[in-house]
Amino acid sequence: MKFFILGIALFICALPAHAQKDSTVIFKVSGACDAFCKPRIEAAAQGRGVQAATWSAQTGMLTLRYDPSKTSIQKVQQRILDVGHDLEDKKADDAVYNALPKCCRYRHDNMQALHHGDTSASIPNNITPPTIKGVVMEEDNKGVFKPLAGASVTWLNTGSGTTTDENGIFSLLQTGERLVVSYTGYEADTITVIPTGELKIILANNRQLKEVKVTTSGASNFIRDNDVVRTNVITQKELFKAACCNLSESFETNPAVDVAYSDAVTGSKQIQLLGLAGIYTQLTVENLPGPRGLAIAQGLNYIPGTWIESLQLSKGMGSVANGFESIAGQINVELKKPTSAEKLFANAYVNSFGKTDLNLNLSHKINDKWSTALLLHDDFLANKSIDMNDDGFRDLPAGNLFTIENRWSFDNAKGITSQFGIKYLNDDKTGGQVNYNASTDKFTTNNYGLGINTKRIEGFGKLGYVFPQKKYKSMGLQLSAFDHQQNSYFGFTTYNAHQQNFYSNLIYQSIINTTIHKFRTGLSFLYDKYDETLDSAAYKRTEVVPGAFIEYTWSPVTNFDVVAGLREDHNSLYGWFTTPHLNIRYAPFKSTTIRISGGRGQRTANIFAENNGVLASARTVAIISSYTKGAYGLKPEISWNKGISIDQKFRLFNRSATAAVDFYRNDFSNQVIVDLENARVIKFYNLQGKSYSNSFQAEVSFMPLRRLDVRLAYRLFDVKTTFDSVLLQKPFTAKNRAFANFEYGISGWRFDYTLSYNSRKRLPSTQANPEQYQRPDYAPAYVIMNAQVTKSFGKEKIVDVYLGAENLTNFYQKNAIIAADEPFSKYFDASLVWGPLTGRMFYGGLRFRIK
């Protein structure tokens, strides 16, 4: 709590002593996306005398607060033009515009022609204009919204238009850019339209149209059409569908990712992507290394959900600029930025088990160039008697996790930008039998217990430069480092580990003559020093990996792109290796996008950190290898990934809908096998035979009723690995999974409901155990249901009250621990977890935001 008070004090001290005298204006700035256009426009608008600049991709309007004595609107607008974004009455230079990323090219009607330099092109006759839909409402003196029937909605300077129906709803083809909305007794005005959603036009109670209240409904998760790598963007709106206390709970409403407990006692969770464990998914934080190495077991708990601005999930091969470790895909976490985060964000959460989360985010713009943010998180669970299956063991460990991060941002409005920050984390957990007391029972047979204490400090820095006269040319330097210390015990087994890491990445990007040919190249450096001790056995190693990469993008037409990347690295333990990646995007029709990807991934296994849960068992650890080099005497893991995806947009129930199918295959040329097939031993050895995964997923999103969003998905896995010369289905992996998510919102209320079905899973053999300690060959299928209700109040100062429940079916794994009645016997095993460990859980919380 003292850190919370200190953070608030520092924030208050940083506030200016007196208020600025400023003016606020709103004007049109053309753009297309939140991911790139928004930060570019807002950064360009910043400068001397500008207090705040906020641009909406939905409305295309920039709200600017500035001091007229220090700057002028003309200067701000010129800076925006200089980075390639049109104003209502002025057009940016074509060369600068054409150098923008494809997702940022907003001149939709001329995009194909502008790509080749022809500014006289018109819309082909065979292309149907998009349909614009919306609702017109009035706001009375009490702030109540009511639909307006019979309001006139026409395109400016044309005779084309319509009137709203009895519910205030209208629909018409887009034949212009500006709508004129009029109604008897109200002053007519014009609205600039971007066809990205359904318009909500509200007439103010002063009998005038309020243009600033024009909004569009944005998707909570979406696929960016122009991205060559298929990237699922998960926004904060999607994260708010669940409590989302940390990153491990951020995928509860996503059908592509599974999250499950890794064992029955430590409380650690791991993800699965494409049927492979989370260790094969590259986890990055703002494209810098995220929790990796020793942090892999608990790392999903280390990123609080309230810190997350968005997630980018991509299956298969990404960019070689991000490294060589991606095998199944990549998850990139974008944290809240000092320049765009809420001034204040507070969250309090508590559930029926007694777990409590407290979060506080503060951001402050110091001056025209500098901004800072302070992010704090504290969660704790004091309840030591959670034992729903009555086996005498705590289903969740008790303890406290505290983390704090201070971030800084710099932008001189002349092409130089920088970000840097520092983070500290302390995590202390105690688990085991319900009656375990660490002060009296540790390392005795009184009661079985475990303890995990982690201290971690990390820092990062980014420096970028965009050439002012050549916006397509830029350089960037990324730096990060961390020190991770873990001290733990499991009964009589001790595991202590220390990791030091340093990472740097230098990137240069430009074009070759025209934007048809783009490239980026750079140098990277990775340093890892490990010092692990398992009981009396020491495992030490240092890995140094310098590397270089180049990536070429060919975009001959707007509906076709090829990105080919190659990197060469030298691992001090394994020598030289080459990593090729290839991604292709083709849009044969306006609403259809096909993507193909392929490439190689390589990583070093950290067998103890990645299998902490197995240490909570009586199994003997055996490392079997004739290889004399490398980590633990094992070879690096190497896999080739191939995939194809198809995304389709269409109309269903007279509303926008999307459908997607994808198929990915991974083939391991080497894999470190974690063999649990003998109930007395856990064996680690290099792959001798085949190991592969096939993943197929189909998904559809639609709106059967107004305000009701539905997402349905089905996934099929075929994952097999060779265990001791026998090709077997990978344990703990469901072959089939079905998923459904329903969201309904009205008048500040939001209702979310998620259902998932998991088919049966193969379990490792327990035939070597006595009969009472044996388990069936397969775990049963089960269904999980989660629901949440949220009510929002306010506009500038927003309060969200949310109540929810997880695992409504109250299904949980019984007898999760083998020999729980004899924890010090040779049969004790807490590693065979295949389902939920806790039953039905209720929670509630409060969020408070000041924009």
Side-chain angles (χ1 to χ4, degrees):
M1 186 60 67
K2 62 182 179 180
F3 290 101
F4 278 81
I5 297 172
L6 177 60
I8 295 173
L10 289 172
F11 182 76
I12 293 173
C13 290
L15 290 174
H18 61 278
Q20 298 282 347
K21 291 183 178 180
D22 54 37
S23 297
T24 300
V25 296
I26 301 172
F27 56 89
K28 175 74 165 59
V29 179
S30 296
C33 65
D34 278 316
F36 299 105
C37 294
K38 180 178 174 67
R40 185 187 305 110
I41 293 170
E42 292 177 352
Q46 296 290 345
R48 183 175 181 272
V50 175
Q51 307 303 321
T54 305
W55 181 79
S56 168
Q58 286 76 29
T59 65
M61 306 303 292
L62 177 72
T63 302
L64 184 76
R65 183 161 55 87
Y66 73 106
D67 185 346
S69 67
K70 294 182 179 180
T71 189
S72 67
I73 292 297
Q74 290 74 22
K75 289 181 180 180
V76 175
Q77 291 181 334
Q78 187 57 52
R79 291 199 296 267
I80 294 171
L81 290 168
D82 289 343
V83 297
H85 289 272
D86 296 346
L87 304 176
E88 195 158 18
D89 57 348
K90 293 182 181 179
K91 183 179 177 185
D93 182 83
D94 285 347
V96 178
Y97 170 79
N98 288 333
L100 293 175
K102 283 197 171 185
C103 66
C104 296
R105 296 182 192 173
Y106 47 81
R107 298 172 185 169
H108 299 288
D109 53 342
N110 294 2
M111 187 180 293
Q112 176 75 38
L114 285 172
H115 186 79
H116 294 284
D118 179 6
T119 59
S120 64
S122 59
I123 300 175
N125 293 329
N126 61 342
I127 295 181
T128 303
T131 299
I132 302 299
K133 291 188 172 186
V135 59
V136 178
M137 296 182 288
E138 65 174 339
E139 181 182 5
D140 62 21
N141 293 325
K142 296 181 179 180
V144 177
F145 297 142
K146 298 179 180 179
L148 272 181
S152 173
V153 184
T154 60
W155 293 108
L156 182 66
N157 297 326
T158 74
S160 175
T162 186
T163 57
T164 58
D165 63 15
E166 67 275 11
N167 296 312
I169 297 172
F170 67 89
S171 174
L172 74 170
L173 294 177
Q174 184 174 12
T175 57
E177 292 186 353
R178 307 187 73 195
L179 276 175
V180 179
V181 183
S182 59
Y183 189 77
T184 303
Y186 289 82
E187 182 180 342
D189 206 346
T190 56
I191 304 298
T192 301
V193 174
I194 298 176
T196 56
E198 294 188 356
L199 294 172
K200 182 191 294 181
I201 304 173
I202 302 170
L203 280 64
N205 54 13
N206 61 0
R207 313 303 283 176
Q208 293 179 347
L209 289 172
K210 293 181 68 176
E211 186 173 23
V212 295
K213 283 201 171 185
V214 177
T215 62
T216 58
S217 56
S220 58
N221 74 94
F222 56 90
I223 306 293
R224 290 190 287 241
D225 292 342
N226 292 321
D227 283 356
V228 183
V229 177
R230 187 179 189 273
T231 304
N232 182 196
V233 180
I234 303 169
T235 68
Q236 185 173 259
K237 180 181 177 182
E238 180 75 11
L239 299 177
F240 281 176
K241 288 184 177 182
C244 190
C245 296
N246 54 58
L247 183 60
S248 70
E249 299 173 0
S250 300
F251 302 102
E252 291 183 356
T253 59
N254 190 291
V257 180
D258 289 322
V259 180
Y261 286 102
S262 57
D263 60 82
V265 289
T266 68
S268 61
K269 293 182 178 181
Q270 65 176 358
I271 63 171
Q272 278 192 355
L273 183 65
L274 305 186
L276 299 175
I279 57 177
Y280 299 112
T281 299
Q282 185 179 20
L283 179 59
T284 59
V285 178
E286 297 180 339
N287 291 313
L288 290 169
R292 59 184 297 276
L294 298 182
I296 199 71
Q298 302 283 340
L300 294 180
N301 299 328
Y302 292 166
I303 303 178
T306 54
W307 293 13
I308 299 173
E309 181 181 83
S310 66
L311 300 172
Q312 289 93 48
L313 167 65
S314 57
K315 300 179 183 178
M317 295 293 101
S319 171
V320 292
N322 295 327
F324 50 82
E325 293 184 320
S326 174
I327 288 177
Q330 178 177 334
I331 296 173
N332 182 56
V333 182
E334 288 292 330
L335 300 181
K336 295 187 175 181
K337 312 293 190 296
T339 55
S340 58
E342 303 94 340
K343 291 181 180 179
L344 183 147
F345 181 103
N347 176 70
Y349 161 95
V350 64
N351 66 28
S352 54
F353 298 150
K355 183 178 183 293
T356 302
D357 281 52
L358 299 174
N359 302 277
L360 179 65
N361 302 345
L362 302 167
S363 69
H364 177 59
K365 181 179 180 181
I366 297 174
N367 54 38
D368 295 343
K369 298 178 181 180
W370 288 95
S371 299
T372 186
L374 187 67
L375 310 176
L376 301 105
H377 170 84
D378 192 20
D379 74 62
F380 46 90
L381 176 64
N383 188 351
K384 300 178 181 180
S385 58
I386 304 172
D387 182 19
M388 303 195 76
N389 57 9
D390 295 323
D391 63 359
F393 274 75
R394 305 173 194 173
D395 297 333
L396 296 172
N400 173 249
L401 185 153
F402 174 79
T403 182
I404 179 173
E405 180 169 339
N406 183 213
R407 300 166 58 85
W408 291 80
S409 177
F410 171 82
D411 189 341
N412 71 348
K414 297 179 180 179
I416 297 178
T417 60
S418 177
Q419 297 181 50
F420 59 91
I422 188 168
K423 176 182 176 182
Y424 171 77
L425 177 142
N426 184 74
D427 186 18
D428 196 9
K429 289 184 173 65
T430 304
Q433 289 183 291
V434 172
N435 296 323
Y436 175 74
N437 186 324
S439 61
T440 58
D441 298 340
K442 185 177 180 180
F443 299 135
T444 73
T445 58
N446 295 341
N447 287 290
Y448 183 94
L450 63 92
I452 303 174
N453 177 258
T454 303
K455 288 181 170 60
R456 179 182 176 94
I457 186 168
E458 55 188 292
F460 75 93
K462 294 182 179 182
L463 179 64
Y465 178 69
V466 179
F467 291 77
Q469 304 305 319
K470 298 179 179 179
K471 301 297 182 181
Y472 52 79
K473 184 186 296 187
S474 65
M475 295 184 65
L477 176 63
Q478 302 172 321
L479 302 169
S480 71
F482 66 78
D483 184 276
H484 183 103
Q485 178 70 51
Q486 175 183 325
N487 297 311
S488 55
Y489 63 91
F490 306 84
F492 288 104
T493 300
T494 61
Y495 173 68
N496 300 318
H498 183 212
Q499 179 186 2
Q500 294 176 309
N501 168 274
F502 174 77
Y503 170 82
S504 66
N505 199 25
L506 178 65
I507 304 174
Y508 171 77
Q509 64 181 26
S510 186
I511 64 173
I512 304 173
N513 296 326
T514 73
T515 55
I516 293 176
H517 307 280
K518 297 182 285 290
F519 73 93
R520 59 175 169 170
T521 185
L523 303 171
S524 66
F525 181 81
L526 179 65
Y527 171 89
D528 279 305
K529 182 179 180 180
Y530 293 89
D531 185 355
E532 300 174 272
T533 303
L534 179 61
D535 290 332
S536 59
Y539 300 87
K540 298 183 179 182
R541 77 177 192 272
T542 299
E543 275 188 86
V544 180
V545 189
F549 62 88
I550 186 168
E551 187 173 78
Y552 167 72
T553 301
W554 181 48
S555 306
V557 290
T558 57
N559 65 336
F560 182 77
D561 302 273
V562 177
V563 178
L566 186 71
R567 61 178 300 131
E568 189 72 20
D569 297 273
H570 182 270
N571 187 302
S572 58
L573 299 180
Y574 301 111
W576 290 98
F577 61 99
T578 304
T579 306
H581 285 187
L582 178 67
N583 286 275
I584 300 173
R585 182 191 74 95
Y586 175 53
F589 311 105
K590 182 179 178 181
S591 301
T592 306
T593 305
I594 302 171
R595 295 177 177 88
I596 299 174
S597 67
R600 180 187 189 272
Q602 177 172 321
R603 65 179 299 274
T604 302
N606 294 284
I607 58 175
F608 300 130
E610 294 165 7
N611 298 278
N612 259 196
V614 180
L615 302 179
S617 73
R619 292 175 182 262
T620 302
V621 176
I623 302 174
I624 304 170
S625 176
S626 59
Y627 191 68
T628 58
K629 302 179 183 179
Y632 317 100
L634 298 167
K635 296 178 181 179
E637 298 191 288
I638 300 171
S639 177
W640 291 85
N641 181 289
K642 294 80 64 177
I644 183 172
S645 66
I646 302 174
D647 291 276
Q648 179 68 49
K649 295 181 178 180
F650 58 99
R651 304 289 295 179
L652 184 64
F653 302 111
N654 203 30
R655 297 179 178 88
S656 297
T658 62
V661 293
D662 63 58
F663 175 81
Y664 291 88
R665 179 179 174 91
N666 263 292
D667 286 284
F668 284 91
S669 55
N670 186 62
Q671 186 177 19
V672 173
I673 304 302
V674 182
D675 190 342
L676 300 175
E677 299 302 319
N678 183 329
R680 302 276 59 73
V681 183
I682 174 174
K683 295 187 288 186
F684 300 99
Y685 51 85
N686 295 311
L687 176 66
Q688 298 292 328
K690 293 182 179 181
S691 181
Y692 63 83
S693 70
N694 293 314
S695 168
F696 170 81
Q697 180 172 312
E699 181 178 348
V700 60
S701 299
F702 58 96
M703 188 181 292
L705 302 172
R706 188 164 169 244
R707 301 191 185 95
L708 175 63
D709 290 297
V710 178
R711 185 151 35 113
L712 307 175
Y714 168 75
R715 198 188 59 206
L716 173 67
F717 283 155
D718 175 27
V719 187
K720 292 186 177 180
T721 301
T722 302
F723 295 95
D724 275 341
S725 303
V726 180
L727 187 64
L728 298 174
Q729 181 183 338
K730 182 175 176 290
F732 310 120
T733 302
K735 186 174 184 179
N736 300 281
R737 186 193 184 201
F739 170 93
N741 176 256
F742 303 87
E743 176 192 351
Y744 182 77
I746 184 171
S747 301
W749 289 91
R750 200 168 98 179
F751 306 86
D752 295 285
Y753 172 78
T754 302
L755 178 148
S756 64
Y757 162 83
N758 292 269
S759 66
R760 68 175 192 166
K761 305 174 183 178
R762 189 184 76 82
L763 301 179
S765 174
T766 54
Q767 295 304 309
N769 286 341
E771 185 175 353
Q772 68 268 32
Y773 296 144
Q774 292 181 11
R775 296 292 184 264
D777 294 335
Y778 286 87
Y782 60 90
V783 173
I784 295 294
M785 300 180 189
N786 300 329
Q788 179 175 290
V789 179
T790 305
K791 173 61 176 175
S792 297
F793 307 88
K795 297 178 181 178
E796 292 299 318
K797 297 180 180 180
I798 304 171
V799 177
D800 296 333
V801 179
Y802 57 93
L803 298 171
E806 296 181 0
N807 195 1
L808 286 167
T809 57
N810 200 34
F811 178 87
Y812 55 89
Q813 183 179 345
K814 298 176 176 59
N815 301 317
I817 300 175
I818 296 178
D821 56 336
E822 296 185 65
F824 297 100
S825 73
K826 64 180 180 179
Y827 303 112
F828 178 72
D829 193 350
S831 64
L832 303 187
V833 173
W834 49 262
L837 293 176
T838 57
R840 188 182 298 112
M841 182 269 286
F842 299 95
Y843 64 85
L846 180 73
R847 290 188 288 258
F848 176 64
R849 291 172 281 166
I850 299 178
K851 293 185 177 180

